Structure formats: structure tokens, C-alpha cells
């Protein structure tokens, strides 16, 4: 049993005991963070069912053809689909429970596919939700922190690549940037950044955001408009490693700043970063981290962060792990604990001023305060050696 | 409305009419294939709810902070989370239905999160499943085929990179390969292949499988064992473009084949490929494609394909699109139609013989037969110019 499987086991034993349930069931494929947490990496890309019984048995029901591969890494019981004679994962879970004479309540997660619940209900089980795993996942093991550190270190190579390309670019008469004779575009930067991530052994995971000026929402929006020397260029990365752990690193660069709005915005977000990081301490309420960082941004005369159009930031940060976003949430008052891994992503966006500015870093809460999972300078001007 | 939204609209209007339902509801984030199909690319990375009412209104309820970004590309109604005052996507869907005085049955998909169904049921709606969208998605529009062609063309650069590195490698006395003075490993190949995909503008999507010898299951299993000159090396790619469309291309190379098992296995899978492709024709039953290809493999004296340990192949192929696997399924007897896009992935695996051999290609069914979405040679020996 791996370290995460051990934590999951404790959390599930607790939840099953407290609710007097017969089992816990989850269904998902290898992209599912909960299932990765429960059963490790050797999952198929079609849905598997995971069953943990009240008696402590851990059962994995992979899809047809996948049982022998799964047996090599999962140390619980593996039930081959063929032996069950059913093809839907929820049906396989119900069959595995029936084979163990289970009755009564089965716990599952809120995100389990509805069809799986229907199979369990049709088989006579009462289904109830538990968030026991969400809570367990918020506290990382040392092995998990090591992986997060490695993926975050890989992320720095992507930011460094952006910075180098911007620093090496020259400016045309119309104010746009060229690199190696080609117009420098967010689409070109996205390709180069993702290639750097791939070389460093992590997957861009469709999360790479390279934005210039006001085109600032979604990875799909990188485009072939030449970047202007005065545009704030955001590179915001959340790569994923082979086991599913995510990094998160963002920096904003301006090749030729006029020292006005973008510099003030950058000062606001870097001060917000410092203020938020300073609050990362066991016992501090998670929302206080958000509040202290947001207060800095407001003190610089900018809007409360992330209420703007920027996708995904209604708080200044959140937990990161097997999911890109997970507990702890900086929107609630839960106390931080050693082992929480959070991203702080202070952001200012103003379409009228021509763009947005964000820095984002990943830190682990320690007994003494916090530790950044990778270091990367926060300068607004790009330097050719990638700020490192 | 985009072309896929138009098809989705027709399918949903039909399903809602036939079932006398009040609406169709789905919940997911921007990684969700169904939601991408319904609402295009500008989705947040936290869950949105999509509602299509019986009166024909298309409503998107994005998460807090994401409404203005979504408004730029979604031409239906966008309801901001703030105006609903609720944070769970399922609750937002229920609130949007309530605001439209909907009553009765709400259709959804089998894969919708269970929590969303609970919100709808608590709000008084009867929830039922429909597979109308699954059927619609199996028939690609011309715009979708164009995107699939582009991502498949990008995939060829990844296979070509593998082939070049293998062809350039030299052999040490112990039979293992070195490239540029470094031992050639599956981990190194995976990094290089993913970098090539990223440069070509597509995301490896965590799907890149580079396997040598018998280590042959999961992207997580690339390792740092030096590849031997006699190992069959599989490169199997399913990259994803910025809108979520997948390619699928696999080739197997042996640097120094002894002309025995691996050559026979390779002959079997390439003949199976030809036999399967030849069956791609409107009106042919999908399972016949599998059967004809599998028969070739059996004729060469190998086991029925994909019943072995290789993950994910219980049929020789399936549809590909916004999901890596989707309809049409080559396990059932549905008739193929022009616009179906399928991967054919004949495979032989034998641990005793030291590995596996697979080729996989993506083809669209046309009025006249089929068309490969990208061409790539099928030779077993790698050539330095990447076989193209």
C-alpha cells in the first residue's frame, strides 16, 4: 500500500465506521484524481470501480482487458471484468458488493457518475455521500510533497523559456515583437513553453495559459496576433506529472514597460504574494491568507482580485494536488495544517489598461510556516537567462 | 451557434420532444467532452451547468467570475453565478430551471455528477438519462474533421521524432541503445515525443505511451531502463488540440530485428490494419471492422487481439473525437455512416516473446469508403528521416 493509499484507507475506515456503512465505492478512469489517490497510477483509460468494504478489503474492478496490468501495482483484490460478466463500472461495483454479501448503505463521492449510483441503487444499496477523501487529500504526505516539488521545478523551465524568448525578442517599428525573424505570438510562446515542460518530463495538461494584452481567458485563446512590446504577457502553468500531481506557477512580463499601470499592478500583486505567503502558518484560517493578500491589492487602488473576468479566481488561491484545484479552499475559515499545499495567485486585470498581471506560486504549509515548492524571481522585465 | 452546437441542438430538441421533457441539463468543466460539444471552448476549469429548455433556450451557468469570458464565445443566455447566489453547478442548473418555471422531467447524461442530479431532484424535477448527444457526437461535421485532421497531422511529428532518435541511436556492447552519448530510455523518448507534439501545437494530454519490451501499460510506466536494440518500441499517441479534439497514432519500431517473432507480429498487425480499413464503408456494421482485422491476426497464429494484458483494447478500435474513446464502438453492430471517425489499433502482445507490436491510425468514413486523417508509413525498422 502506498502512502496515499494508507491515508485513504484510514479516512475510509473512519467514514464507513461512523456511518455504519457496508462499503465505500468510487468510479472513474485514470484521469480521475480520487481514483488515483485510492488505487495508484495503474488505472485504465476506461472507467474502473473501486470498492472498500466494511471488513477492510480493497477491491479494484478494472475494465475488460486491464486486470493483469492493474495487478502489478495494486496490492488489494483485483476482480477482472470477465469474471463479473458486466461491462459498466457501476455494475461491476454492485456485482463485487453482491459477491461479498454486502447490504445497507454504500458511501460514495458527490462527483461519482450518476449512472454508477443508479446501478448501486438498482442492486438494493442505499447510496450516501462522504467528503472523507477530500479532507484526507488536503494533507499531503512527504512522498506527495516530493512529487509536487518536482513538477513545480519542471514548471520553472516553462516560465524561463517564455522569459528568454521575450528578452531575446527585438521590437519592430510598429511596436510588435519579433524573434528569430518570426513575429512573436502567444501561440508560438505556448508551443515553446509546452515543449520545455515536456522536455522536463511533465505534461502541459491543457492548462498552459499564455496571454498578452486583454486576450486573457482560456488555453484555447492563444492566438497569432504579434505581441506588442508594451503588452503585459502572462504565462500561467499548471503541468501534471505521470502520477497526476499538478504544479502551478505564473509570472507576468512586459518587454518595454512605460513604468505606469503595469508596474503599479505588478507591485500590487507581488506585495499581495508576500502578504499572503506570510500568513501561511499552521492554525491560521485559510480565508485570512486570501484576505491579507487581497487587502494589499486594494491598498494599491486596484479592484478586489479575481472578481474580474479572469477565469477561475474568486479567491486568491486554493489547494493543489492530484486535482488542479482542491482543498484547502482559501474562501473558508478552516485552519491551515502542515502538509497543506496551496497556490497563491494574486491578480489584477483591467481591460481599459490593456491587460492583466498575475504571479502564482505553490507553497507547502510547514510546522514553522511555509516553504515554496520552487523558487522563481518575480521581476516584471524579462531577462535572457530566465531570471534564475 | 457553431456547427457542433447546431447538431447538439437538433439532437436535444428531438430528445426533449420525444420524452416530453422540460429541459436537458449537463454539468462539467472545460475538460468535459459533452460540455465542450454543447458550449464550445470558453468554459471555466470549475464546473459549469448547461441547460437547454423545451422552448429552445440555451443557458450556460458558469462558475463565479467566469461569466464575462464565457459571454464572448457562447451565443445563448449566460447566467452569472452571482445573480443566482448559489455555488454548486447543479444548484445553478436547478435555479435556472426554476427561473423559467420549468416542471416535470429533466433529461441528462449517464456521466453527469451524482451531486448535480441530487440538486435537480431536491428542486422537484424528475431526472432521466438520454444518449442523444453520444449519437450526435459520433457523426463529425466538416469543421470537426478538419480539426481532427490537424491534430492527427501533429501526431505524426511525435512518431517521426521517435523514429529519428531510434534510427540515429548506436548500439553498445551490451545490446542497449545510446543517443548523443546518453542511454536511450523510454522516459527520454517520452519527453522528446511530447516536446515535438507541443511544438506542433497540440497537448500530449497525458496519453503518450512509449514502451519497450514488456513494460507496456500506462504513460506512468516510461522508465529509465536503457532500450535494447532488439526491443520492440511502441509509440502510441493521443494528443488533444485546444478545443479538445483527439488524434491517435501508433507505430512500433525495432532497431535491430532478428526477423523472427517481431517481424511476424508486425506483419500480422499491418495486414489487420489493411483488412480493417477495407471494411470502413457506409452501411458496414461496426463490429465487422473489428472481426475482419482480428481474423488476420488469428490467421498469423497470434491470440485474438487485445484480450491480452494491453490496456484498453478489447476491440480493435472505436470512435475518436472530443473524447479519446467514443462512439462508434467496434464491438456493436451499428452501421457505419459517413462522418464517423474511428481508430483502428491492431495489437499483438506476448510477454514471453519480449513485448508487443501495435499500429494505430485514424480514419473518417466517407461516402466512398474511408480517408486516413494523416498518412504515416508502417515500417518496423526506423529510418532517420522519420518515414515520411
Amino acid at each position: 500500500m502506498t502512502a496515499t493509499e494508507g491515508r485513504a484507507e484510514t479516512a475510509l475506515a473512519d467514514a464507513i465506521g461512523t456511518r455504519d456503512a457496508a462499503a465505500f465505492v468510487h468510479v472513474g478512469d485514470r484521469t480521475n484524481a480520487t481514483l488515483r489517490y485510492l488505487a495508484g497510477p495503474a488505472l485504465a483509460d476506461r472507467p474502473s470501480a473501486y470498492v472498500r468494504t466494511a471488513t477492510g478489503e480493497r477491491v479494484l474492478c478494472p475494465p475488460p482487458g486491464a486486470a493483469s496490468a492493474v495487478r502489478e501495482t495494486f496490492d488489494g483484490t483485483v476482480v477482472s471484468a470477465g469474471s463479473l460478466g458486466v461491462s459498466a463500472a457501476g455494475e461491476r461495483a454492485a456485482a463485487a458488493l453482491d459477491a461479498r454479501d454486502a447490504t445497507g448503505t454504500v458511501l460514495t463521492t458527490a462527483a461519482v457518475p450518476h449512472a454508477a449510483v443508479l446501478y448501486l441503487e438498482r442492486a438494493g444499496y442505499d447510496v450516501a455521500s462522504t467528503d472523507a477523501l477530500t479532507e484526507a487529500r488536503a494533507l499531503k504526505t512527504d512522498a506527495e510533497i516530493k512529487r509536487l516539488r518536482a513538477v513545480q521545478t519542471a514548471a520553472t523551465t516553462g516560465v524561463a523559456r517564455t522569459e528568454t524568448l521575450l528578452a531575446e525578442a527585438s521590437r519592430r517599428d510598429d511596436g510588435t515583437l519579433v524573434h528569430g525573424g518570426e513575429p512573436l505570438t502567444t501561440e508560438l510562446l505556448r508551443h515553446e513553453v509546452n515543449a520545455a515542460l515536456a522536455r522536463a518530463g511533465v505534461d502541459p495538461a491543457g492548462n498552459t495559459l499564455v496571454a498578452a494584452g486583454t486576450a486573457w481567458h482560456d488555453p484555447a485563446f492563444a492566438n497569432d496576433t504579434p505581441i506588442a512590446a508594451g503588452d503585459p504577457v502572462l504565462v500561467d502553468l499548471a503541468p501534471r506529472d505521470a502520477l497526476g500531481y499538478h504544479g502551478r506557477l505564473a509570472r507576468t512580463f512586459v518587454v518595454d514597460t512605460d513604468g505606469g499601470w503595469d508596474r503599479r499592478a505588478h507591485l500590487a500583486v507581488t506585495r499581495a504574494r508576500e502578504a499572503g505567503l506570510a500568513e501561511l502558518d499552521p492554525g491560521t484560517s485559510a480565508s485570512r491568507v486570501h484576505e491579507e493578500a487581497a487587502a494589499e491589492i486594494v491598498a494599491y487602488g486596484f479592484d478586489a482580485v479575481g472578481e474580474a473576468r479572469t477565469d477561475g479566481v474568486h479567491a486568491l488561491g486554493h489547494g493543489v494536488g492530484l486535482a488542479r484545484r482542491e482543498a484547502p479552499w482559501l474562501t473558508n475559515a478552516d485552519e491551515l495544517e502542515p502538509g497543506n499545499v496551496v497556490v497563491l495567485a494574486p491578480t489584477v486585470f483591467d481591460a481599459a489598461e490593456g491587460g492583466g498581471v498575475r504571479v502564482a506560486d505553490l507553497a507547502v504549509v510547514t510546522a514553522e510556516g511555509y516553504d515554496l515548492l520552487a523558487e522563481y524571481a518575480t521581476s516584471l522585465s524579462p531577462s535572457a537567462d530566465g531570471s534564475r
Side-chain angles (χ1 to χ4, degrees), chain A residues 157-209:
Chain A
T157 67
V159 176
R161 182 74 184 134
T162 314
E163 190 170 355
T164 302
L165 288 168
L166 287 171
E168 290 173 354
S170 49
R171 184 184 172 150
R172 287 197 295 210
D173 289 347
D174 66 357
T176 62
L177 299 175
V178 286
H179 186 278
E182 295 295 316
L184 199 57
T185 65
T186 48
E187 184 64 15
L188 187 147
L189 284 179
R190 188 170 71 84
H191 295 186
E192 290 291 322
V193 166
N194 285 346
L197 294 174
R199 283 239 157 72
V202 295
D203 199 286
N207 292 331
T208 296
L209 178 61

Side-chain angles (χ1 to χ4, degrees), chain A residues 209 216 234 236 248 250-252 261 264-273 290 293-298 300-318 325 343-350 355-361:
Chain A
L209 178 61
W216 225 62
L234 169 73
D236 189 345
R248 178 75 191 278
R251 289 293 182 267
T252 306
W261 178 85
R264 275 191 302 118
H266 190 257
L267 196 57
V269 298
T270 51
R271 289 285 163 79
R273 172 181 181 272
H290 164 77
E296 281 291 327
I297 290 177
V298 171
Y300 276 83
F302 295 105
D303 275 351
V305 194
E307 308 298 337
R309 55 193 282 164
T310 65
D311 178 14
V313 202
H314 55 303
L316 268 175
H318 48 76
R325 296 167 189 277
V343 60
L344 260 176
T347 307
V348 167
F349 186 87
D350 186 336
V357 174
R358 173 183 293 162
V359 296
D361 289 88

Side-chain angles (χ1 to χ4, degrees), chain A residues 112-282:
Chain A
V112 75
H114 180 55
V117 172
L118 291 181
Y119 279 116
L120 292 168
E121 289 179 345
R122 272 178 215 148
Y125 299 99
D126 294 323
V127 178
S129 277
T130 175
D131 59 3
L133 291 174
T134 310
E135 289 169 21
R137 275 172 48 198
L139 291 179
K140 271 68 179 177
T141 65
D142 289 347
E144 288 183 295
I145 292 166
K146 195 175 161 192
R147 288 206 76 97
L148 289 162
R149 231 181 252 287
V151 63
Q152 184 72 350
T153 301
T156 66
T157 67
V159 176
R161 182 74 184 134
T162 314
E163 190 170 355
T164 302
L165 288 168
L166 287 171
E168 290 173 354
S170 49
R171 184 184 172 150
R172 287 197 295 210
D173 289 347
D174 66 357
T176 62
L177 299 175
V178 286
H179 186 278
E182 295 295 316
L184 199 57
T185 65
T186 48
E187 184 64 15
L188 187 147
L189 284 179
R190 188 170 71 84
H191 295 186
E192 290 291 322
V193 166
N194 285 346
L197 294 174
R199 283 239 157 72
V202 295
D203 199 286
N207 292 331
T208 296
L209 178 61
V210 182
T214 56
W216 225 62
H217 320 306
D218 188 277
F221 283 80
N223 60 40
D224 56 6
T225 307
I227 299 168
D231 280 345
V233 178
L234 169 73
V235 54
D236 189 345
L237 310 177
R240 192 173 53 205
D241 77 3
L243 292 191
Y245 288 93
H246 290 79
R248 178 75 191 278
L249 184 67
R251 289 293 182 267
T252 306
F253 302 108
V254 182
V255 169
D256 189 7
T257 172
D258 62 7
W261 178 85
D262 52 17
R263 192 157 291 283
R264 275 191 302 118
H266 190 257
L267 196 57
V269 298
T270 51
R271 289 285 163 79
R273 172 181 181 272
E274 286 159 27
L277 289 174
E279 295 300 321
L280 290 178
D281 227 351

